[in-house]
Amino acid sequence: MANKIEPDVSLDCLGLYCPQPLLQTREKLDELEVGQTLELFADDPAAEEDIKRFVKRTGHELIQFDKQGEINHFIIKKKE
């Protein structure tokens, strides 16, 4: 059984389209301390690729991703 991750902050971007989910994710991560986690929900079809690319490019860590129907669920850990 997988351990459930309890995020520090949650961000709902359902119904928002590019570039809003990416911009709001960036703003929310800027508010967090290193090591804290952000949970993100997004249903923009481009969100899966955009958020994964953003996390990789900025050095943060995608510690969980799953998709249920059109809803993408990310948990991102802030790195330095």
Side-chain angles (χ1 to χ4, degrees), residues 38-74:
L38 171 66
E39 176 181 51
L40 167 66
F41 295 94
D43 58 356
D44 178 352
E48 179 179 353
E49 187 170 331
D50 288 350
I51 298 297
K52 286 180 175 178
R53 186 179 316 124
F54 166 75
V55 168
K56 184 176 182 179
R57 189 177 62 235
T58 55
H60 300 300
E61 181 182 358
L62 181 61
I63 56 176
Q64 184 175 321
F65 172 76
D66 58 79
K67 188 170 187 171
Q68 293 185 349
E70 296 180 1
I71 299 175
N72 298 293
H73 175 237
F74 306 83

